[in-house]
Amino acid sequence: MASTTHIIGNLSSWLHPIQPNNSRRCFFKPCTFPIFKLKATNFAGTVRAFSTAFIDTKPADEIVVEKGVSTNKNVLACPICYEPLTLIGDSSLSIDSTSTSKLQCKTCKKTYIGNKTHVDLRAASGLKEYADPMPPATELFRLPLVSFLYERGWRQNFALGGFPGKEKEFELAKGYLKPVLGGNIIDASCGSGLFSRLFAKSGLFSMVVALDYSENMLQQCYEFVEKEENFPKEKLTLVRADISRLPFVSSSIDAVHAGAAIHCWPSPSSAVAEISRVLRPGGVLVATTFILDGPFTFIPFFGIISQKLTQISGNRFFQSEREFEELCGACGLVGFQCIRNQRFVMFSARKPS
């Protein structure tokens, strides 16, 4: 999802970091050839070194669903005690059955009721007087206007910061997700469901959960799905939840995707720790975001300034790929990889088998 970071990232995308060629932080050679050489077919990216922007792409072999991925659809859990929820009524939960669904926790005795678009699995679900205060960056995306504009111009502007576009980003993500194809996937902080819908339509996953804190973003996702003909609704479920308290059974999820989102999370470390908890052994996290480095590193006291801005807005200003590697490692994830293009970065890590 977008944030004030995007505005800075978009302006900075015109400035390539120019540093001595022997510096390991020199991500771009002094020429203007395109970083991404993508084809319409699937591809496998080979990262040449840690945190490098240079990748080789080649047509991938035919995608084969790996054995050992999860096929169990009973993965939803109580956000209070993390015990599995019992679905009352329909045999399975999907975008079509949400409005008539009831989920019950046998331990907490709490019942979660779905509405027309999604099921609310926050700890505070059902409360009218009490509400958890959220940072401005989180509340921004709960506004109906922002939710409406997200796929109608807002997200397209990410190209100014180096984002290669949804199709190419989807192909890049599939390269990292290849070991868990055929399993289930959470599209965390899904926004209006841009990638949730692509995952569902691809047929590469048995179940897709579009998860976001914004009820208006989920409403937009629902409306987009309703407008598409022959959409596989049985594969998609919309869930409202807190990224720092995921309503899923521990070690039950094959993959988590978070597109342009981690910088908006109130506590990235708590969120990644939760993702690590719900991933099964061998499960994969793939995420994209912006990085402010290059010329920004020469701004006096930039680190202190970014910390203050984070405290005020709730946006996290990442300044290097190493931050993501340390964050993943601290939360028990291994096999860190990443690629760069200007301000854009995609990184991946997995839960140890």
Side-chain angles (χ1 to χ4, degrees):
M1 288 168 55
S3 68
T4 53
T5 308
H6 298 161
I7 299 174
I8 300 174
N10 291 345
L11 293 175
S12 65
S13 66
W14 302 101
L15 301 174
H16 292 261
I18 301 175
Q19 298 184 15
N21 288 337
N22 60 357
S23 170
R24 70 180 186 87
R25 291 185 55 78
C26 181
F27 301 112
F28 297 89
K29 293 181 180 179
C31 60
T32 58
F33 65 89
I35 298 298
F36 294 96
K37 303 176 182 177
L38 306 180
K39 298 182 179 181
T41 57
N42 299 329
F43 68 90
T46 303
V47 181
R48 294 182 181 173
F50 167 78
S51 300
T52 179
F54 302 109
I55 58 174
D56 295 325
T57 62
K58 59 182 180 180
D61 298 330
E62 182 180 356
I63 294 178
V64 178
V65 174
E66 299 290 334
K67 294 182 179 180
V69 297
S70 173
T71 57
N72 179 20
K73 292 189 176 183
N74 186 27
V75 299
L76 293 176
C78 174
I80 299 172
C81 66
Y82 293 140
E83 289 298 313
L85 291 172
T86 300
L87 181 62
I88 302 172
D90 294 283
S91 59
S92 62
L93 187 64
S94 69
I95 198 169
D96 269 342
S97 63
T98 300
S99 60
T100 59
S101 297
K102 290 184 179 180
L103 295 149
Q104 191 173 63
C105 177
K106 293 183 178 180
T107 303
C108 297
K109 307 302 181 183
K110 184 172 181 178
T111 300
Y112 301 88
I113 301 175
N115 58 30
K116 180 180 179 181
T117 60
H118 64 274
V119 57
D120 192 337
L121 294 181
R122 296 171 302 135
S125 173
L127 299 182
K128 295 181 179 180
E129 299 297 328
Y130 175 84
D132 291 316
M134 285 292 178
T138 301
E139 293 298 326
L140 175 67
F141 293 100
R142 295 184 64 195
L143 299 175
L145 178 61
V146 175
S147 301
F148 177 82
L149 293 175
Y150 190 71
E151 287 189 47
R152 297 176 174 91
W154 186 303
R155 224 289 183 168
Q156 288 80 349
N157 285 327
F158 291 11
L160 298 175
F163 275 65
K166 65 177 183 179
E167 290 84 6
K168 293 179 181 179
E169 290 173 50
F170 184 62
E171 291 298 318
L172 284 168
K174 283 198 299 184
Y176 286 125
L177 294 169
K178 189 174 181 180
V180 293
L181 295 180
N184 52 42
I185 185 170
I186 301 170
D187 189 19
S189 295
C190 66
S192 53
L194 179 67
F195 288 98
S196 306
R197 304 194 306 274
L198 289 175
F199 285 130
K201 291 187 294 184
S202 71
L204 298 174
F205 295 91
S206 60
M207 181 182 71
V208 179
V209 178
L211 182 144
D212 204 282
Y213 189 81
S214 169
E215 59 273 60
N216 283 306
M217 284 292 190
L218 294 172
Q219 172 70 32
Q220 283 295 312
C221 180
Y222 178 85
E223 291 178 2
F224 282 130
V225 169
E226 286 295 297
K227 292 177 181 178
E228 289 198 41
E229 294 184 3
N230 302 317
F231 188 94
K233 295 181 180 180
E234 70 282 357
K235 289 185 175 292
L236 182 63
T237 302
L238 276 57
V239 172
R240 186 183 181 203
D242 186 342
I243 190 65
S244 294
R245 199 162 186 85
L246 294 173
F248 300 98
V249 176
S250 298
S251 302
S252 65
I253 302 300
D254 295 294
V256 175
H257 172 266
I262 189 172
H263 52 272
C264 294
W265 294 346
S267 174
S269 58
S270 297
V272 176
E274 269 293 89
I275 290 170
S276 180
R277 178 186 67 82
V278 303
L279 282 175
R280 68 164 177 81
V284 176
L285 164 66
V286 178
T288 62
T289 186
F290 288 88
I291 286 185
L292 295 182
D293 59 2
F296 293 97
T297 60
F298 296 101
I299 299 176
F301 309 110
F302 181 70
I304 297 176
I305 295 172
S306 65
Q307 290 178 8
K308 295 298 182 182
L309 290 174
T310 297
Q311 293 173 358
I312 295 171
S313 68
N315 289 315
R316 176 63 187 263
F317 296 86
F318 293 101
Q319 299 174 51
S320 73
E321 299 95 319
R322 191 170 295 279
E323 290 186 67
F324 303 118
E325 184 183 33
E326 292 181 350
L327 176 59
C328 291
C331 296
L333 301 179
V334 299
F336 179 86
Q337 300 179 69
C338 74
I339 52 178
R340 282 286 306 271
N341 183 44
Q342 300 176 40
R343 306 274 71 80
F344 166 82
V345 61
M346 176 180 282
F347 67 92
S348 176
R350 59 179 173 79
K351 190 170 181 177
S353 300

